[in-house]
Amino acid sequence: MNLAIIGCGGMGGNHAQFATNCGLNLVACGDSHKKKAQALAKRFGAEATDDCMALCRRDDVDIVGIMTPTPTHSAYVIAAAEAGKHIFCEKPFGRTVDECLAAEAAVKKAGVRLFVGHVVRYFHEFEAIRAQIEAGKAGNVGFVKAYRGGIFPQGEDMWFRDYEQSGGVTFDSSIHDYDWIRYVFGDVERVFCQALQRDDAIDYALVTLRMKSGVIAHVIGTWAHPAGFRVKVEVCGDNGMITYDNAEAPISSMMRQVEGGQPTMIVPANPVETSPYQLEWVDFLAALEGKGEPKVTPEDATWAVRIASAALESAKSGEPVTL
Amino acid sequence: MAKMGIMSFAHMHAYSYAACLNELPEAEFVAVWDDDAGRGAAAASQFGTTFIADLEEFLGSGIDGVIVTSENVKHRAMVERAAAAGKWILCEKPLATTPADCQAMIKACADAKVGLGTAFPCRYIQSLLAVKQQIDNGDFGAIYAASCTNNGQFPGGWFAQMDLAGGGATMDHTVHVADVLRWMLGKEFTKVYCENGHLLGRDTDLDDAGCLQMEMEGGVIISHIASWNRAKSFPTWGDVTLELIGEKGVVYIDSFNQKLNVYNDDAMKTEWAFWGDNPDLGLVADFVAAVDEKREPSVTGVDGMRALEVTVAAYKAAAEGRTAAVQRAAC
């Protein structure tokens, strides 16, 4: 099957690799910055364009991958769906719940498949935590804490710095944890959030989720650190605890600086044979072949946006938001 | 030489404070009183001192200062008796379970012209002292946000009873960190949101898990976990951690992470052996010096009340499902 990718920044390049690893043929790359589209297209022998809407409608395209800034997602999803394409959309699904619902409706009407990349559901460590919970190792769980983040992301044209566009760490990054917590512990009853959202690119979000089951979840998101990327999870129950910290990894390396420059290479600290990003494509492509449902449904992706939107609303009002 | 006594060994911290009294050359640990005579006599024997069953006799035995380590709700009556007898007092945290009780205790000590301290040993933890120094130096610039924990194993006993503890994990594990933040940042708390409940199956009807969100003056945003969430099989009793987000940098402090991993086949669980300085020793040494110098202890009764007011706001917020303003009582 033929793939087109819209949005040729870091995530676009990432997905181009993993999708082609799965046997997809990348035929076209679109980006409003044509040079980015050309650079990625060259790597994969594809065509480049800055007309992303036209790319959604190309006859030779079966799947459209949408890796652009969040507020543009729904328009591309709707265009691709109307053209009868299957769609892989990066998270967050949309910037508002209404955008998500409009995109969902378009997909349903067109009878195409939509997958939203809530990749944490595919991370080995998160699946292992879920397995331990399901095996009862913590007993009945009453409290969950998730911590994620590090340096403020760059993104194309520094678009993350525009909190209206990106929603900051509260929306863009902690949505991984809202989705995973809902995946494992069910629906959310209410949301409370305090967030920094400073203009000098320091953001920090403190979110409390009260689940319908009664479980309390605390989600901490940071784009306030000068460097690094940290993920920590803690699950507490009536018969035990499960904790995870990505600082505990099999490889620790330190590369010597070359004269007057950056270190020459980065060694991954925590390699796995198959990347979770590739597992997303495997799951999505299996669904396209009629082999079951993927782990993430469009409804799940809308729910994640609903929780993230409630967090921003709470941060603004200073009071909890009931869903 | 300050003559010291301990009133009640109901709280496990009494055993650590007693050991500190024996360790400090400036202190003489002369007597124990306890409303549980068997417990008091055993403790007196353990620490090589005298048990006095009668409270008046204990207060009249020539002691200069007392450490009150009873159940939370008994603090007020014991502090008032000791103050009336002219004793300097160090009271276990929380100072009391209501701001009104705190106010009465502070007034009783002021009227009797005796010092009243709240037992917040975190102020003597070396890692927290070091970071406070850096904050005071301006190394981190303004502090914008913090996420904190005071996680612990379930203590059981009277901690599980409303009529003795005055609340569950939120009561037990909010005040230490509330005090540390007031001390480190020099700001007061303004409002609190809290989700809590009996969620971890601990043997109590009280809340065993609390998740607080707080704001301090100037809009500093803070979250805090006050919880009995540590499993019995966890390698230690719990933790005090703070991540501070500042203008010039961030810092994470895991206060008790000066430890050895101990794998012992009799225990059949990993245990952490703490090797850092004992913060209780700093706390008790300051109190002994306060008694000797007839001055207020460094961490006062008002500090105890201000921390308790955060706890009270947390329970109010949890009951009402919205934020609660932190009401600061007069003192």
Side-chain angles (χ1 to χ4, degrees), chain B residues 11 68-80 89-107 109 115-120 165 171-172 175-176 299-309 311 331:
Chain B
H11 199 293
V68 174
T69 25
S70 64
E71 300 88 341
N72 297 344
V73 300
K74 295 182 182 175
H75 287 174
R76 175 177 172 177
M78 289 187 194
V79 165
E80 287 176 339
I89 301 156
L90 177 65
C91 183
E92 181 55 40
K93 52 71 29 180
L95 184 62
T97 59
T98 68
D101 281 352
C102 292
Q103 267 183 310
M105 292 157 74
I106 291 164
K107 183 171 188 303
C109 292
L116 171 63
T118 306
F120 283 139
M171 177 61 75
D172 193 27
V175 291
H176 279 305
V299 192
T300 65
V302 173
D303 290 324
M305 180 167 72
R306 292 287 173 255
L308 187 268
E309 286 161 350
T311 310
C331 59

Side-chain angles (χ1 to χ4, degrees), chain B:
Chain B
M1 180 81 83
K3 291 184 164 44
M4 311 298 294
I6 290 183
M7 295 176 71
S8 176
F9 274 73
H11 199 293
M12 57 282 217
H13 291 168
Y15 294 87
S16 172
Y17 303 152
C20 294
L21 288 175
N22 279 344
E23 192 174 336
L24 288 166
E26 304 82 6
E28 186 185 350
F29 185 14
V30 296
V32 170
W33 171 83
D34 198 322
D35 58 4
D36 180 332
R39 180 176 64 202
S45 161
Q46 182 183 338
F47 293 100
T49 188
T50 309
F51 175 69
I52 301 175
D54 182 77
L55 182 53
E56 286 308 312
E57 194 186 322
F58 168 82
L59 293 170
S61 66
I63 52 178
D64 306 307
V66 295
I67 300 176
V68 174
T69 25
S70 64
E71 300 88 341
N72 297 344
V73 300
K74 295 182 182 175
H75 287 174
R76 175 177 172 177
M78 289 187 194
V79 165
E80 287 176 339
R81 286 288 291 275
K87 307 306 172 192
W88 247 242
I89 301 156
L90 177 65
C91 183
E92 181 55 40
K93 52 71 29 180
L95 184 62
T97 59
T98 68
D101 281 352
C102 292
Q103 267 183 310
M105 292 157 74
I106 291 164
K107 183 171 188 303
C109 292
D111 289 349
K113 297 189 165 53
V114 298
L116 171 63
T118 306
F120 283 139
C122 290
R123 295 221 198 176
Y124 299 90
I125 293 174
Q126 291 299 322
S127 54
L128 293 175
L129 285 161
V131 171
K132 176 173 166 49
Q133 185 64 56
Q134 287 186 289
I135 290 171
D136 290 349
N137 289 347
D139 294 348
F140 291 104
I143 301 296
Y144 302 137
S147 58
C148 314
T149 66
N150 186 190
N151 295 306
Q153 291 169 326
F154 175 53
W158 61 265
F159 287 89
Q161 290 174 247
M162 187 66 186
D163 58 344
L164 291 172
T170 310
M171 177 61 75
D172 193 27
H173 279 189
T174 297
V175 291
H176 279 305
V177 165
D179 179 67
V180 165
L181 289 166
R182 287 184 65 245
W183 166 63
M184 274 194 161
L185 305 186
K187 293 172 189 287
E188 296 292 351
F189 287 92
T190 52
K191 67 176 186 173
V192 180
Y193 180 75
C194 176
E195 293 281 357
N196 67 7
H198 183 251
L199 299 169
L200 299 168
R202 305 300 186 244
D203 187 14
T204 176
D205 298 329
L206 303 175
D207 55 293
D208 52 17
C211 178
L212 287 73
Q213 295 235 25
M214 306 176 283
E215 191 181 277
M216 292 184 101
E217 292 166 331
V220 180
I221 62 169
I222 296 153
S223 74
H224 175 60
I225 305 303
S227 186
W228 291 328
N229 59 23
R230 265 37 199 163
K232 290 194 286 265
S233 48
F234 198 73
T236 193
W237 58 269
D239 64 29
V240 173
T241 73
L242 293 89
E243 175 167 278
L244 301 174
I245 305 301
E247 177 188 4
K248 298 183 190 172
V250 302
V251 58
Y252 177 72
I253 313 144
D254 185 353
S255 304
F256 294 96
N257 196 7
Q258 290 177 312
K259 65 178 198 289
L260 310 177
N261 296 308
V262 179
Y263 308 95
N264 172 266
D265 288 346
D266 294 327
M268 279 311 285
K269 69 168 191 177
T270 306
E271 293 175 309
W272 290 344
F274 180 68
W275 54 257
D277 294 318
N278 176 9
D280 287 352
L281 195 60
L283 173 78
V284 175
D286 176 77
F287 178 57
V288 170
V291 170
D292 194 46
E293 297 161 18
K294 297 284 178 240
R295 63 161 170 87
E296 278 282 304
S298 298
V299 192
T300 65
V302 173
D303 290 324
M305 180 167 72
R306 292 287 173 255
L308 187 268
E309 286 161 350
V310 177
T311 310
V312 169
Y315 277 107
K316 182 170 189 277
E320 295 178 355
R322 51 173 290 118
T323 59
V326 178
Q327 306 288 343
R328 285 201 292 284
C331 59

